[in-house]
Every structure is written in C-alpha cells, then in structure tokens.
Amino acid sequence: MDNALLSPLDMNAAPADGFGSRFAALPGRSKLMMALGVITLVAVLVATSMWNTQGDYKPVFTGLSDKDGGAIIGQLSAMNVPYKNEPGGTILVPASQVYDVRMKLASAGLPKGSVIGFELMDKQSIGQTQFNERLNFQRGLEGELTRTITALADVADARVHLAMPQQNGFFREQQKPSASVMLTLRGGRTLDRAQVAGIVHLVSASVPELSPKAVSVLDQSGALLSSTNDTGSGLDSQQLQYKQQIEANFSKRIYELLEPVVGRDNLRATVTAEVDFSQTEATSEEFKPNQGANASASVRSLQSTESSNGSGGTPSGVPGATTNQPPSPATAPITGAAAPLQAAQGAGGNINSRKDNTTNFEVDKTVRVTRNATGVVKRLNAAVVLNNRVITDAKGKTSTQPLAPEEIEKLTALVKETMGFNEERGDSVKLINTPFKIEKIDVPDVPLLQQPWLIDMVRAGAVPAALVLVALIAVFGMVRPAIRAAMLAPPAPEKGSQLDAVVDEDNLLPNPGARPALEAPETDQRLVVMRAMAKENPAAVANVVRGWVSGESK
C-alpha cells in the first residue's frame, strides 16, 4: 500500500500549548506595546518614590540673614541638594537629608552668623597694634552679650554698644564706661521690670567698673525700658503695671458677672483707677504724767548738795591783863551812870550752812511714727455699655428690644457691689443701654475653582494624580491587551482547513481559505477498505506499517 495515502494523517498534530509559545506567536506590534507599558510602569514607580521622598521638606535653618542664606543656598546647589527658600530666612530640604545637610554645612563653616563673639580673638595678625587688640576685644564682648541676650524667649534680636574709654594713669579723673542695648522683641511679647533689670545687671556685670545706671535698654519702637520714671504719667513702669492690673481686675469682675445675664458679645466695660503712690512718714512724741492711782514714780536721778561757810571772832577791848580774863556775863545798868570799864572780849564767829536735794522722776513718753501705705486706690470710675436684648419670635424672626429701667438699675447695683463702690471716696458707675452697631463685612464671592484651599490641594495632588493616570493607561492600554492575547488558547482548526500537507518536499498546497471548503462525506471509503484489508490480511498491513517506521517503503 502506498505511504502517500496515510501521510496527511500526521499533519493534524497540535503544537505545544504554552504561554511562552503563545507570546512568541503574537504580532510584533503587541510585543512592542507591552514592552512600552512595562517601561512606563517602572518609570511611574520610580517617580512616585522620588516624589514621596522629596515631597516632605523640613527646615534646616531658620532666621538666617541674607548673607548667610545666600551662602547656604550656593553650598546646597554645589551639593546637588534640592531646597526651598521661604520668607523669614528659612531654608527647607528633604526630610531624609536634614541632618546630613546640617553636618556638611557645619563642616563648611555655615552659617557664619552676623554676630561675632570671642572667636574674633582667634585670628591675630603679626602687626596688630594695641588699639586693634582693644577694639577686637570690645567687638567680641559685644557679640557675646548679644548672643546671651538673644537667648531670652521674648527677645528676637539684640544689639549691644559698649563705650569703654581708655584707662590712663596720667589722668586724675578716669571716665567711666557706659552701654546701650537695643532689643527687638517677638510679636506680642513684652518685658517686665524684672527682666529689664536682669538685662541691665547682665551687661553691667560683664564690663569692669560699669554702673547699672549707665546702661540704657530700648526696644524696637524706641521706648526706653530701663528708665526709672515715666515722663508722661509720672509713674514708673512698676507703678503703671500695678495700676493696669487693678483696672484689669475690676473689668474682669464686671465681665464675669454680667456676661451670663446679657450675653458674651453684648457687653463692653472699662474701669479707670486713680491710685495714690505718694508715701508720707510722720514722727510724734507725747509726754504725759504717770497715770493711775497705784502708779509709782520712777526716780530717774537723785542729787544732794550740802555746803557750810564760817569765820572765827577777832579780839576786841583794851589790851592788858584784863583782856585775858574770861568775859563776864552781861548785865544791864541799874542807873544811868557809866558802867565800869570791862575787860576786852573776844569777837564771836559767823557760820553759814546750805543743803540742796534734787530728785528727777521719769515721765511717760510716747513716740509715734506714722507711714502711709503706697498704692492706695483713691477713686474708681466704671463705664459699662449694654446691647439691646435680641428676641426671636415663633416664626424665627429676630428683633432687638431695649432693657427695662428696672433691669438697668439692678445691673448697676451689681456693678457697684462687684467693684466695691464707695461714695465717700468719689467712685462713679455709669451703665447705659444702647444698640451695638454691626458692621457688615463684605466677603468676596470667590468661585470654587479659585478657592485657595482648592488650588493648594490641586497643586499638592496634581503630580500623584498624573502618575496614577499614566500608570492606568500603561496597564489597561498596553500591558493588559498583550497578556490577554497570550493567555487565550488558539481556536480549534475547522474540518478541511489542514490541507497544507507536504507534497513534493517543500512545496505547499494552496491555502484552503482561498477556495470554498468541501463538505466531508459522512463515511470515508478508504477507511472502510483499510479496515476490511486489515481483517482479511493482517500480515500485509503489518508489513506496510513496518516499512513506514523503518523508512524502507517507497
């Protein structure tokens, strides 16, 4: 039997069914689109990772001067580090590179800072004069004081000027140093008296022989903070602060009392206090005798003086023996005849004696020192304005209604009680009711597309949204069609379409699709003949098959 009869039966074998073979069988355009899609996805992933890394920026330095900011930006550009420059001397870099950038900039000596301290003394030239040394020392001391003062929480910047005259032993009177401090306070911050005194003491203690009275402290508005007296009101800063605290305390009491009654925004109150800071001192002494029946006098001093003075008698009479006789007692003459001559008598002596006693007693004494208190409230004046009451009817319509006179009297009485009203002191309270004027604020009608929050959100999400859109186009437009084409199984061949059997070696039969396919008969006569032959002569069929296998058949 001829082998050509059975050769077409071997051409119906199906090729290997694998993804690789099916992908290889795809057209070149599909393969190119899939390759472009994969490359696009990789690029989107890389861009997303870079955006996430560089999207979070943190400040590396803040409050830089223009000179330091320009030097840092130049160094960052040389280092190929992305940065953002914001107002206020703030430079931002990616969050993952903040600490590395700081270390690298510090190694480069940045920021140098506009304040130079004692590091100025490290650079000494050979030919430096004494004047230059003294000047550099003064500049370094000013810089160190500036750094110390700017470390305060309420101080944003400071400048210190020192006037240090040259000390010379040939001058009889040496000029004393002085200092001036210029402070730039942070927004809304103020310095109290203790803080200003601390700055003055800091500067005076840093400079030899500098008196605290020779230090002047000013703020950015030119107000003298270290003055002892306020030329405008006659009060120093501490007294003025005490007065303001008293007024604020009374105003707070009024607000706390009336706000629950009239509403939070329906009340305005102010209190003015007249405070007497004059200080007087009086000393008085009172002397009183010892009081009480049983009061015993206390002897303060006792002085006793006794003196006597006497003189002896002088002899008198006729000298002689009779004179030496003792005198006879005197007798009155009986008659008018002359008395006989008597003997001389000795004259009698004169003796004077004196005795003085002086006693001083203690007297009651009272010494009274009267010192008036400082900061006494002399008078209080309070002014309170109340808004009309807002009434809402059943339909939801609002209207205003003035307060009743009885209610105003009650509220006035409450204000007097809360502030300690004293009529003898001259206090006054004025409470009135008037409608508040509501100013209409014209809010511009900005379209939704021009709202700042929407613009910021679009700017922040534009890049991620664009990356996601590109990724979706690459997946669903390039990669997915190629994968689906490769995953689908090839369609089963139709009957009669496999007619490209090998005939005459390399010559192929014409494409069966070029002509209409013939309908296959219901029963192939050749198969019937072959089956009958195999039944009748199986040995001949076996020889034919053996010849096909060995290749000996012709």
Side-chain angles (χ1 to χ4, degrees), residues 315-328 341-347:
S316 61
V318 179
T322 306
T323 308
N324 296 330
Q325 296 297 323
S328 58
L341 182 63
Q342 294 181 357
Q345 297 180 356

Side-chain angles (χ1 to χ4, degrees), residues 23 43 57 96 137 146 238 281-282 294 298 305 320 399 486 519 524 550:
F23 181 77
Y57 278 75
S96 60
F137 174 77
T146 300
Q238 186 175 8
E281 182 177 351
N294 298 327
S298 299
T305 304
S399 60
E519 296 181 0
D524 192 354
S550 62

Side-chain angles (χ1 to χ4, degrees), residues 222-376:
L224 186 62
L225 303 180
S226 59
S227 62
T228 57
N229 291 324
D230 186 1
T231 58
S233 60
L235 304 177
D236 60 13
S237 59
Q238 186 175 8
Q239 293 174 349
L240 184 61
Q241 184 179 4
Y242 177 73
K243 179 176 178 293
Q244 292 174 353
Q245 288 179 354
I246 292 177
E247 295 173 350
N249 188 20
F250 284 114
S251 299
K252 183 180 178 181
R253 292 181 182 180
I254 296 175
Y255 273 97
E256 291 178 352
L257 184 66
L258 298 185
E259 276 186 352
V261 180
V262 299
R264 183 178 183 83
D265 296 330
N266 297 324
L267 169 67
R268 294 294 183 272
T270 180
V271 178
T272 303
E274 295 183 8
V275 185
D276 184 12
F277 291 100
S278 60
Q279 184 175 3
T280 59
E281 182 177 351
T283 305
S284 61
E285 294 184 3
E286 296 180 359
F287 296 91
K288 295 181 180 181
N290 297 325
Q291 303 294 329
N294 298 327
S296 60
S298 299
V299 178
R300 180 179 182 182
S301 62
L302 177 62
Q303 184 178 2
S304 177
T305 304
E306 183 176 356
S307 62
S308 62
N309 186 12
S311 60
T314 58
S316 61
V318 179
T322 306
T323 308
N324 296 330
Q325 296 297 323
S328 58
T331 58
I334 299 175
T335 64
L341 182 63
Q342 294 181 357
Q345 297 180 356
N350 295 325
I351 298 175
N352 298 324
S353 62
R354 183 178 180 180
K355 186 175 182 181
D356 297 332
N357 292 328
T358 303
T359 304
N360 296 325
F361 296 94
E362 289 287 353
V363 181
D364 290 346
K365 177 182 178 181
T366 302
V367 179
R368 181 176 292 104
V369 179
T370 304
R371 181 178 301 170
N372 294 334
T374 59
V376 179

Side-chain angles (χ1 to χ4, degrees), residues 81 114 145 198 242 246-247 269 276 288 306 324 424 433 450-451 482 515 530-531:
V81 176
S114 58
L145 289 174
Y242 177 73
I246 292 177
E247 295 173 350
D276 184 12
K288 295 181 180 181
E306 183 176 356
N324 296 330
E424 297 179 355
N433 174 222
Q450 297 181 2
Q451 292 290 339
R515 55 188 177 181
M530 292 299 296
R531 290 190 185 99

Side-chain angles (χ1 to χ4, degrees), residues 439-445:
E439 296 182 358
K440 295 183 179 180
I441 301 176
D442 295 334
V443 179
D445 188 10

Side-chain angles (χ1 to χ4, degrees), residues 366-503:
T366 302
V367 179
R368 181 176 292 104
V369 179
T370 304
R371 181 178 301 170
N372 294 334
T374 59
V376 179
V377 178
K378 296 177 60 178
R379 184 179 180 183
L380 291 176
N381 299 324
V384 182
V385 181
L386 301 179
N387 190 15
N388 290 343
R389 180 177 285 106
V390 179
I391 300 175
T392 305
D393 55 9
K395 297 181 179 180
K397 186 178 179 180
T398 60
S399 60
T400 60
Q401 180 180 359
L403 301 178
E406 296 80 6
E407 189 174 0
I408 293 178
E409 292 180 0
K410 293 180 181 179
L411 296 178
T412 303
L414 289 177
V415 173
K416 289 183 179 181
E417 291 295 329
T418 191
M419 63 180 296
F421 182 82
N422 189 353
E423 188 175 359
E424 297 179 355
R425 193 172 54 185
D427 296 349
S428 64
V429 175
K430 187 65 176 179
L431 190 147
I432 63 173
N433 174 222
T434 183
F436 287 2
K437 182 179 180 181
I438 301 176
E439 296 182 358
K440 295 183 179 180
I441 301 176
D442 295 334
V443 179
D445 188 10
V446 181
L448 180 61
L449 298 179
Q450 297 181 2
Q451 292 290 339
W453 61 269
L454 182 60
I455 295 175
D456 294 340
M457 184 176 64
V458 170
R459 289 178 179 176
V463 175
L467 293 176
V468 171
L469 181 60
V470 172
L472 292 177
I473 293 174
V475 171
F476 292 100
M478 299 179 182
V479 179
R480 185 180 179 185
I483 294 177
R484 292 185 63 182
M487 292 295 295
L488 293 177
E494 298 179 358
K495 296 182 180 181
S497 61
Q498 297 295 330
L499 299 177
D500 54 347
V502 178
V503 178

Side-chain angles (χ1 to χ4, degrees), residues 204-223:
S204 63
S206 302
V207 180
E209 299 183 1
L210 177 59
S211 174
K213 297 181 179 179
V215 179
S216 300
V217 182
L218 293 83
D219 60 3
Q220 67 270 22
S221 62

